[in-house]
Amino acid sequence: MAELKKPVSAELTSEQVKRIREVCQQLGKVKGKVLPILHAVQDICGNWLPLEALQLVAKELEIPYGYLYGVLTFYSMYSVTPRGRYIIRMCESAPCHVNGAENILEALKEELGVEVGGTTSDGLFTLELTACLGTCEVAPAMQINEVVFGNLTGAKVKEILDNYRAGKEVDYRTLARTTIKPLAYPLDQDNMVLFANLDRIDPMSLDDYRAKGGYEGLKKAVTSMSQVDAINEVKTAGVRGRGGAGFPAGLKWSFTQPSPIIPKYIVCNADEGEPGTIKDRYIMEGDPHRVLEGMALAGYAVGASHGYIYVRGEYYLSMLRLQNAIDQAMQNGCLGKNIFGSDFSFTIEVQSGGGAYVCGEETALIESIEGKRGNPRVKPPFPGQVGVWGKPSIVNNVETLSSIPMIISKGGEWYKAKGTEDATGTKIFQVVGHVNQPGVIEADLGMTVRELIDRYGGGIRGGKKFKACQTGGASFGFITEDQLDTPMEYKAMGAIEGALGSGTMLVMDEDTCIVDVVKCILYFFQHESCGFCLPCRRGTRILYDLICKIADGRGEEADLDKMIKVAQVMADSANCALAMSPIFFIKTTIERYRDDYLAHLNGTCPLCKK
């Protein structure tokens, strides 16, 4: 949640006033467009939101100024104080942290001559920290306006800044991708579901997508299948939510399809804010029509007529390519009215997030789409019955929806034959941290963690020994060397108190202090708490204070039990999954890496500079 600051005044030019009014008139006609309007106005005003601009927006939208201020201060990407021409966001997530982000931050501060939050005297750069950029495969990383720079060193930082000072600004629209190619293609193209088109088509070309069989699944569904037939095919496939929760997609759809309430909505959750999770960006940038087709198929199956893609605010290239794909699909009858001559009509719009991890939770995301602060709702009711604008809504992750076109076109049995009985199909796995080749692959579910690390991640960097792996994302447990042969599927990972989660594995070598990593993760959770419920608002702060006390050598062994108890109370009583997460990594690290904690309690940790 963004820090509360008093908005600074600035006289607007007549041109700025005109453009702000135009934005409000254009976007203000659509419900819930508060965030996109704030993004547009911030661009008009030069990377910040002066008091006069906010007052004008409130007047034009006919909403209270206090409400508008309350919304914008929830999101970290908005600023009510002046900023430079280029905003440098240095990532401080765990994957960047274990790869030396603090050293890069010091290099940035020295080169710029400012502290965090400061702007250089020439007005060019403002230095900020961000909880995660979603580019963990090139950690440590920073973003300058829309462009990501990864694998940073002190020398590379200086070179990048010198280029910007010389006017050599990078245009993100010209980039092939935000970061790097997938590590490998373990599957042949005929057996891939998600990466079949990556680097094989132009992501800006509808013709290329259709030449590879694109929109054939949608055509088949709307011309020859009933809604129930489509849902049953997804049930047969056994595909489960790929965002982390793992709930069966077909079952979720079947709860909403019978509802007589209209309109219904499809929401694509593209706000992958979990540190270590980078997979959805590859699909959106490399094969955006696949996402749209999956959404349209979900819409047909449940009787929805409109869809939202909620994309995290840092994913500029994803949003560009998704919007281009929507425009092309609308112009060519793949979206819009009477798709492929049927009675089915479906439209999609892209919405940008504002920098809030909690908006990855489905109801917080819905609140944000509606132009509100992203506080998770109390459940039940669930979105399938009461979602966007109080109407039935299906919320699925990018990867989940992108699996649907091939399930419909090739059949649920074809998909089910992949993976394992517990976890059917393919999955995008992500290996980051202390490996020689961080990145992503698509493979059948059931691959072991060891194979992912050694075969595709290239083994532990620098020939060092393995120490730990946080499984499934920042929310889940740590596993040890003797657990690496566990297949990556739901039951097996759960049995070792790990998780498949989003499919990301953060690998740490023998020189890693587990206490230091847990401190970084707990800082993330207390920073990203929305503050809506007491267990999370207070609990995340208590846990962070305790880990700081332990890390500084001021703690006692009883504090370890206290951390577990506090985290368990949070898991049992909090409103959403954000506060239900710390118990997993706190419990597993205290039990499995207790020596690291005891070394800090004794003030003798050899891995940390005291």
Side-chain angles (χ1 to χ4, degrees), residues 484-543:
L484 288 179
D485 291 313
T486 304
M488 290 186 289
E489 57 179 12
Y490 298 100
K491 289 181 181 177
M493 293 297 289
I496 60 169
E497 296 184 273
L500 177 60
S502 63
T504 188
M505 304 292 152
L506 172 58
V507 180
M508 290 155 272
D509 66 23
E510 59 187 317
D511 292 335
T512 304
C513 172
I514 298 300
V515 173
D516 179 59
V517 177
V518 171
K519 178 183 174 182
C520 177
I521 298 170
L522 280 174
Y523 175 80
F524 171 83
F525 276 96
Q526 64 88 29
H527 179 269
E528 293 299 315
S529 171
C530 75
F532 173 76
C533 70
L534 177 62
C536 182
R537 181 174 68 246
R538 187 71 189 119
T540 53
R541 188 68 215 187
I542 291 172
L543 290 175

Side-chain angles (χ1 to χ4, degrees), residues 259-335:
S259 174
I261 299 172
I262 57 172
K264 300 176 185 177
Y265 297 97
I266 302 298
V267 179
C268 176
N269 186 345
D271 191 62
E272 55 176 359
E274 185 95 344
T277 306
I278 50 181
K279 60 189 176 61
D280 293 343
R281 172 168 46 81
Y282 280 80
I283 303 174
M284 291 187 288
E285 290 182 2
D287 199 5
H289 282 284
R290 187 177 300 276
V291 184
L292 307 187
E293 185 176 4
M295 291 181 69
L297 281 163
Y300 176 72
V302 304
S305 57
H306 188 67
Y308 295 93
I309 310 178
Y310 186 95
V311 186
R312 65 175 299 172
E314 296 87 353
Y315 281 2
Y316 295 96
L317 189 57
S318 293
M319 287 185 275
L320 174 75
R321 291 185 175 166
L322 286 167
Q323 188 58 59
N324 174 74
I326 290 170
D327 294 342
Q328 291 180 336
M330 289 290 291
Q331 292 166 8
N332 290 274
C334 300
L335 290 176

Side-chain angles (χ1 to χ4, degrees), residues 10-17 20 45 50-54 56:
E11 185 176 350
L12 301 177
T13 66
S14 58
E15 179 62 24
Q16 287 175 324
V17 170
I20 291 171
C45 295
L51 174 61
E52 288 74 10
L54 295 173
L56 180 57

Side-chain angles (χ1 to χ4, degrees), residues 155-360:
K156 191 172 182 179
V157 164
K158 186 178 187 311
E159 179 184 356
I160 293 166
L161 295 181
D162 283 345
N163 283 337
Y164 272 79
R165 287 173 180 136
K168 299 176 182 178
E169 180 178 344
V170 180
D171 185 347
Y172 78 99
R173 295 168 295 184
T174 65
L175 300 176
R177 55 183 56 80
T178 293
T179 56
I180 59 176
K181 292 183 177 182
L183 292 176
Y185 293 98
L187 305 172
D188 62 73
Q189 189 175 3
D190 289 338
N191 284 300
M192 281 194 283
V193 177
L194 302 157
F195 283 179
N197 290 339
L198 260 63
D199 296 314
R200 297 182 176 96
I201 66 169
D202 177 358
M204 299 289 277
S205 170
L206 171 62
D207 290 341
D208 277 15
Y209 181 65
R210 298 197 72 173
K212 294 289 186 179
Y215 290 110
E216 289 301 314
L218 179 58
K219 184 177 181 179
K220 175 183 177 181
V222 302
T223 59
S224 65
M225 299 175 74
S226 70
Q227 292 178 321
V228 173
D229 288 341
I231 290 174
N232 285 339
E233 204 68 63
V234 176
K235 283 184 174 180
T236 297
V239 62
R240 296 168 65 171
R242 300 299 197 225
F247 192 84
L251 184 60
K252 178 185 278 193
W253 295 6
S254 69
F255 296 152
T256 298
Q257 187 271 333
S259 174
I261 299 172
I262 57 172
K264 300 176 185 177
Y265 297 97
I266 302 298
V267 179
C268 176
N269 186 345
D271 191 62
E272 55 176 359
E274 185 95 344
T277 306
I278 50 181
K279 60 189 176 61
D280 293 343
R281 172 168 46 81
Y282 280 80
I283 303 174
M284 291 187 288
E285 290 182 2
D287 199 5
H289 282 284
R290 187 177 300 276
V291 184
L292 307 187
E293 185 176 4
M295 291 181 69
L297 281 163
Y300 176 72
V302 304
S305 57
H306 188 67
Y308 295 93
I309 310 178
Y310 186 95
V311 186
R312 65 175 299 172
E314 296 87 353
Y315 281 2
Y316 295 96
L317 189 57
S318 293
M319 287 185 275
L320 174 75
R321 291 185 175 166
L322 286 167
Q323 188 58 59
N324 174 74
I326 290 170
D327 294 342
Q328 291 180 336
M330 289 290 291
Q331 292 166 8
N332 290 274
C334 300
L335 290 176
K337 293 183 178 181
N338 305 118
I339 297 172
F340 295 116
S342 70
D343 293 331
F344 175 59
S345 300
F346 192 74
T347 53
I348 297 175
E349 65 181 279
V350 176
Q351 171 127 355
S352 170
Y357 165 69
V358 74
C359 286

Side-chain angles (χ1 to χ4, degrees), residues 361-364 367 374-383 386-387 530 532-533 573-576 580:
E361 194 277 337
E362 60 181 2
T363 62
E367 290 285 292
N375 291 321
R377 296 175 179 175
V378 177
K379 295 184 287 189
F382 293 91
V386 182
C530 75
F532 173 76
C533 70
S573 59
N575 184 52
C576 84
M580 299 175 189

Side-chain angles (χ1 to χ4, degrees), residues 134-148:
T135 56
C136 311
E137 72 275 42
V138 293
M142 67 180 181
Q143 187 172 35
I144 302 181
N145 288 3
E146 305 92 351
V147 181
V148 170

